[in-house]
Every structure is written in structure tokens, then in C-alpha cells.
Amino acid sequence: MGLWQRISTVGVRPDEPTGERRRVVITNQSAVIGTVSCGSFALAYAVAGARFIAPFCANVVAVALLLCALGLSKRGCRLAAKLFVLVPVNVVVVVASMLLGGRVGFLYYFFLFAAVPFLVFGGHERLARWSATMLSVVCLVFVQLFAPADARIAGVTPMIAHTIDLASAIAVLATVVFIVNLFTTDTENAEARLAEEHARSERLLLNVLPAAISARLKEDEEIADRFSEVTVLFSDIVGFTELSQRFAPDELVKMLNRIFSAFDDLAAELELEKIKTIGDCYMVAAGLPNARADHAEAMAKMALAMRDALARINREGGYRLQIRTGLHTGAVVAGVIGKRKFIYDMWGDTVNTASRMESSGVPGEIQITRDLQERLKDAFVIEPRGTISVKGKGEMETFFLKGAKTPEGR
């Protein structure tokens, strides 16, 4: 960080809001600009001779007060720092105008000083803002009414007067351009950061909710929909409780992340909607929030691909993991619940039945219901398991999904 940057950010806290940070920076930089300007005039008055001792002293005092403003910023005395910037510069211009004449160049400064309070004072400092602005207005009126005319200035040649006018005008113009550039640059940076944060928030929101649901939620719409044809998949890792006792916590999380990330990639590839993970259980659905005719086939491909992905992870990581998977198809109700950490979730008998297909399933197998078997039998290899007792459902005829049929097998 350069010297200019270090001076500009004196007293700025790391967690500073953008607006307040900008006001502190402008205050500090105004103090530096004022110090350089007043110091330059003090040097010029010193060279010019003893008859300029009064404006010389006024500028030296102004330099001291402007440097104090930086110290006040560093100590967090921000209101005082702003006043130590604005009051001395107004006074020193009045002194110079009274001694050298109310020339145009000096008057320019008051327009600048009247605008700066709107940049350095926040909305909670309205009284100080308007007071500082009115100070500049009063000083301008005073100089106009009481400063001597140019013709009455003793010992100042037209060339010197013209030089002072030109130097003052250039100094004011350069300061205005500098401050406006600072303000617009800081604003553009803030807008860029805001856009980046907005994009990040959008990405995070889309990781939690489907895009269509997210758009509706932004309109304060209550999300509650009924879907007549949806296929739901539940899958969990067999013996996960025992596995969690054998693995270190970080290794366990790393393994789960690797598995579920692979499942996430498959869901995205097949345009399915991941609903949630519950511990070692993975839940995904096809046919919502946008209906699709091939929801059953797409979910069957997902189940088979998940099994293949786990087999690959086992080979690469040296694991011996198995998943138990259950699928069912039917109607569901879906919506967004909660005010904090909300999720897009589903309810209904279809969801419960898919969950039961998983919990009553066999490790390494994909268990499906009769309804789903009827939809998939032409395109997939399916083996009957028989009738089993399913908790909460009674006796049910179930099947194992083994794979996709090859063209020769049709």
C-alpha cells in the first residue's frame, strides 16, 4: 500500500460500510490537499516579503489545523476532523481576500468549500453539513461586501494579481476534478462489489432453490404447488453409523462431500432437482418444478448412474461403500417453508413411499414400486423381488432396477 493510500485510509476500520469509508477517505484527502495548497501559499507569501505576514501566518495556522484533522481521523474523532478541514480553509481565504482583495480566484474557493460538506458529512450529520455549507456562503458574502477592490490593493502589481487569480482558479478546478474522480471511482468500485455480491448471492440462492422458484420467491409469492407426475429417489449409504465411528471427522466429511458432489453433477447433467441431503441420505426428484414427460426414465438413469459413480469412488478411494436406493412415482405437493435456511421441499404419499422403498431395500440394489415398474419395463431391465412388508404401507410388490436394455435385448 502506497503512502497516499495509507494517508487516505487513516482511521478507516476494516468492517467500514462503503459510504462511511468514502466520507473518511475524502476527509483525509481534503486535509492533505488543503495542507499542500495552504503550505504553497504560505511559502509564496514568505518569499513575497514582510507585507504578507498576515496571510502567511493564517496559512501556517491552517496547515497545522489540517494536519490535526488527520490525527483526529486516526483517533476516530470524525466530526471534529471534518470541522478541522472545513473551518480553517474558509477562514484563510477570508483573510487573504481582506488583505489582497476580493478577487475572482479567491471566490472560487467558497463554491468548492460549500460543496465539500455534502461529500464528507453523512445523513446523520445534517446539522453539521448545512452549518459548514452556510459558513462558506457567509464567508463569500462577507468578502463580496467588505473586501477591498483590486484597485485599492497596495503593493500588488497587475501581473501578481493575475497570477494569484489564475493559480486560485486552477487549484479549485484541479481539486474539484480530483474529488469528483475519487467519488466516482469509489462509487464504481462499490457498484462493482455490489454486483459481485449480488451475483454470489444469486448463485448461492440457486444452490438452495430452483431458478423458477427463486424468481417467484423474489416477488413475495407463496410457493405451494401440486404436481400430478413426479418421480422421487431416496438413497443412503449402508452402515453409515458404523463408518462414522471408523473415520476421522474430516475424512468422513471429505468422503461424503466427494460422493454427494458426484451425485450433484449427475443431477445437473440429467436436469433433475436435488431436494436435500439428510445426514447420509440423498433425495432428488424429477418432474418439478418444471413438468417433464420422461421423469421416470430420467430418474432411473440417475439411480443407475449413482451406483456407477459410487463404484468409481470406491476404486479411486479404496472404499467398500454401498448405497441402498428407492424410487416411486406419483403426485406430490412442493413448496418453500421456513424464514431462515429455507428449502424447497416435497410432501405426500409418493415421497413417503419412495423413502420406504429405500429403507426396506437391499444394499447395492435399486428398489422400485409396481407403478414405476409399469412405466420403465420397456426400456429397462427389471427383476421382481416379490411381496414384502413395508412399514406404514403393508404388503407391497416391489422390483429391482438392474440396468438399461440394450438394443439387442429389446
Side-chain angles (χ1 to χ4, degrees), residues 232-263:
V232 182
L233 177 151
F234 281 89
S235 184
D236 78 339
I237 299 174
V238 178
F240 181 75
T241 302
E242 292 76 10
L243 286 172
S244 63
Q245 296 172 352
R246 288 167 34 204
F247 286 90
D250 58 337
E251 187 179 356
L252 182 68
V253 172
K254 182 179 179 181
M255 179 187 70
L256 274 178
N257 183 62
R258 186 176 182 182
I259 295 170
F260 287 168
S261 293
F263 293 172

Side-chain angles (χ1 to χ4, degrees), residues 34-303:
T35 298
V36 172
S37 179
C38 291
S40 299
F41 274 106
L43 181 61
Y45 293 139
V47 172
R51 65 180 182 275
F52 296 103
I53 188 64
F56 168 77
C57 292
N59 278 275
V60 169
V61 172
V63 168
L65 294 175
L66 288 164
L67 291 175
C68 286
L70 292 174
L72 291 168
S73 282
K74 186 175 182 179
R75 288 167 175 76
C77 304
R78 296 179 173 178
L79 178 59
K82 296 166 186 176
L83 295 176
F84 268 59
V85 168
L86 293 169
V87 173
V89 293
N90 277 281
V91 173
V92 77
V93 174
V94 170
V95 171
S97 298
M98 295 302 295
L99 295 173
L100 302 179
R103 56 188 73 258
V104 174
F106 286 159
L107 296 181
Y108 286 155
Y109 283 106
F110 293 120
F111 292 99
L112 172 63
F113 300 156
V116 170
F118 289 90
L119 301 178
V120 299
F121 289 110
H124 61 289
E125 300 170 316
R126 289 186 178 87
L127 178 60
R129 176 196 293 171
W130 285 105
S131 298
T133 298
M134 289 307 300
L135 172 63
S136 299
V137 173
V138 170
C139 289
L140 171 63
V141 173
F142 179 84
V143 168
Q144 283 285 77
L145 293 176
F146 300 106
D150 291 292
R152 295 169 54 191
I153 302 173
V156 178
T157 66
M159 179 61 71
I160 293 177
H162 180 70
T163 301
I164 293 175
D165 288 344
L166 183 61
S168 298
I170 292 175
V172 171
L173 180 61
T175 303
V176 170
V177 170
F178 179 83
I179 291 177
V180 170
N181 177 70
L182 168 69
F183 189 85
T184 54
T185 300
D186 201 47
T187 301
E188 288 169 357
N189 291 338
E191 290 173 348
R193 289 193 297 270
L194 183 62
E196 183 179 344
E197 289 299 323
H198 178 72
R200 183 181 294 112
S201 298
E202 286 293 305
R203 290 194 297 270
L204 290 173
L205 187 60
L206 291 177
N207 282 337
V208 176
L209 300 173
I213 299 302
S214 173
R216 292 170 58 189
L217 199 62
K218 291 175 185 176
E219 301 296 327
D220 292 329
E221 182 179 345
E222 183 176 324
I223 310 299
D225 302 307
R226 180 178 296 276
F227 298 90
S228 59
E229 291 192 358
V230 172
T231 300
V232 182
L233 177 151
F234 281 89
S235 184
D236 78 339
I237 299 174
V238 178
F240 181 75
T241 302
E242 292 76 10
L243 286 172
S244 63
Q245 296 172 352
R246 288 167 34 204
F247 286 90
D250 58 337
E251 187 179 356
L252 182 68
V253 172
K254 182 179 179 181
M255 179 187 70
L256 274 178
N257 183 62
R258 186 176 182 182
I259 295 170
F260 287 168
S261 293
F263 293 172
D264 287 348
D265 291 340
L266 292 171
E269 180 182 340
L270 293 168
E271 298 181 348
L272 306 178
E273 194 59 51
K274 174 188 174 181
I275 303 301
K276 58 186 173 182
T277 58
I278 309 169
D280 64 317
C281 183
Y282 190 90
M283 179 183 180
V284 63
L288 56 72
N290 300 313
R292 55 187 294 179
D294 65 339
H295 58 89
E297 292 79 5
M299 190 59 77
K301 293 177 182 177
M302 175 70 177

Side-chain angles (χ1 to χ4, degrees), residues 379-391:
F380 293 87
V381 177
I382 298 173
E383 293 182 357
R385 181 186 183 187
T387 300
I388 63 171
S389 178
V390 178
K391 181 179 179 181

Side-chain angles (χ1 to χ4, degrees), residues 376-406:
L376 299 176
K377 62 183 180 180
D378 292 335
F380 293 87
V381 177
I382 298 173
E383 293 182 357
R385 181 186 183 187
T387 300
I388 63 171
S389 178
V390 178
K391 181 179 179 181
K393 304 293 295 183
E395 299 295 314
M396 290 187 66
E397 184 181 10
T398 63
F399 301 81
F400 289 141
L401 174 66
K402 307 302 289 187
K405 287 185 177 180
T406 61

